[in-house]
Structures are given as C-alpha cells and as structure tokens.
C-alpha cells in the first residue's frame, strides 16, 4: 500500500522499477488502480516465482548493497531491515545476524520495503515521522 500511495503522490514509476530490478531478484512489478469502500488507490504488486521466504540480515543487506540504488535509498532500506532484525533478535534472544526473516525475507516484502525507501527518495522526502 505504501509504494502504491507514493506512486500516486508522484514517485517516478520507471525510476522505481529500475531500482527494484537492480536488486536482481527476478521479479516484475505492476501498479493497478483499485477502489475499496469508495476510496480509489493504486496497488503495487510484486510478481515473482521465487518461493524463498527465509533470509538472514546479511543476505538481504548484500542484495541492497549490490543494487543500483541512491545512497539515501540504500541507507534507509538497510536501516529498516536493521531495526526489524534488532526487534526479532530481542524477542528470540539471538544475535541479529542469526535472525531468520520469515515473511519479511520473501521477494515481495524486500521489494515493498526497498520500494518504499526508493519512492520516498524519488519524491525527495527528507523525513518521515510516526507516533508509537
């Protein structure tokens, strides 16, 4: 939903797709117009035959670092996965490097997270705030 909303806000679709394709995950991407309960929006979809859902943080970081992403997009995507890894690490009482990302390690989740970071960068959004 986030990536679709950012595309609707004006994020450059070809630039976003190029960045995500550079991750070399053999995925394709579409944005579809949808309407739910009278609200129109764009739904970002990731299409992949890759069924691998378990990845460790170092593997995901390697994918991100190998991609052709802006420095800011790379930094932000790595920070998101780092925070997720730290939360999982605390809850399972294991080192962050040993955390298995289950659903978040799947191609669609990686593309959702990296895609949001890239789209925010393409829109030149300097800061995102959220209450806890």
């Amino acid at each position: 939903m986030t990536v679709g909303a950012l595309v609707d806000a004006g994020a450059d679709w070809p630039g976003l797709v190029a960045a995500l394709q550079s991750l070399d995950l053999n995925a394709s991407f579409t944005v579809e117009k949808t309407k739910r309960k009278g609200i129109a929006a764009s739904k970002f979809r990731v299409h992949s035959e890759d069924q691998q859902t378990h990845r460790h943080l170092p593997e995901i970081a390697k994918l991100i670092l190998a991609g052709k992403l802006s420095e800011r997009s790379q930094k932000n995507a790595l920070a998101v996965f780092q925070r997720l890894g730290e939360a999982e690490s605390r809850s399972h009482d294991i080192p962050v490097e040993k955390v298995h990302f289950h659903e978040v390690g799947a191609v669609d989740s990686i593309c959702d997270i990296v895609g949001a970071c890239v789209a925010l960068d393409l829109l030149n959004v300097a800061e995102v705030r959220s209450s806890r």
Side-chain angles (χ1 to χ4, degrees):
M1 290 172 44
T2 302
V3 176
L6 293 169
V7 169
D8 280 346
D12 176 58
W13 177 248
L16 176 61
V17 169
L20 291 174
Q21 286 176 336
S22 78
L23 298 176
D24 205 23
L25 290 168
N26 296 316
S28 61
F29 314 97
T30 57
V31 171
E32 302 166 4
K33 292 294 183 184
T34 186
K35 196 173 200 179
R36 302 236 170 98
K37 296 185 180 185
I39 305 295
S42 291
K43 181 164 181 64
F44 172 69
R45 292 193 185 271
V46 177
H47 309 279
S48 173
E49 292 184 20
D50 183 335
Q51 298 300 311
Q52 182 179 351
T53 59
H54 300 266
R55 287 181 171 87
H56 291 92
L57 181 59
E59 182 181 356
I60 294 171
K62 186 176 176 181
L63 289 168
I64 293 168
L65 291 170
K68 293 180 179 147
L69 310 175
S70 71
E71 185 177 332
R72 184 163 72 161
S73 294
Q74 242 179 21
K75 178 182 164 204
N76 288 336
L78 290 170
V80 170
F81 280 104
Q82 182 67 37
R83 285 194 73 158
L84 288 169
E86 289 168 358
E88 289 285 327
S89 170
R90 284 190 302 276
S91 66
H92 296 288
D93 194 27
I94 59 173
V96 71
E97 297 80 20
K98 301 272 187 192
V99 168
H100 273 98
F101 286 107
H102 296 282
E103 290 81 14
V104 178
V107 168
D108 60 338
S109 295
I110 292 169
C111 291
D112 282 337
I113 292 168
V114 174
C117 293
V118 169
L120 287 166
D121 188 28
L122 290 169
L123 291 168
N124 202 29
V125 173
E127 186 175 13
V128 175
R129 292 182 179 252
S130 173
S131 62
R132 292 184 185 214

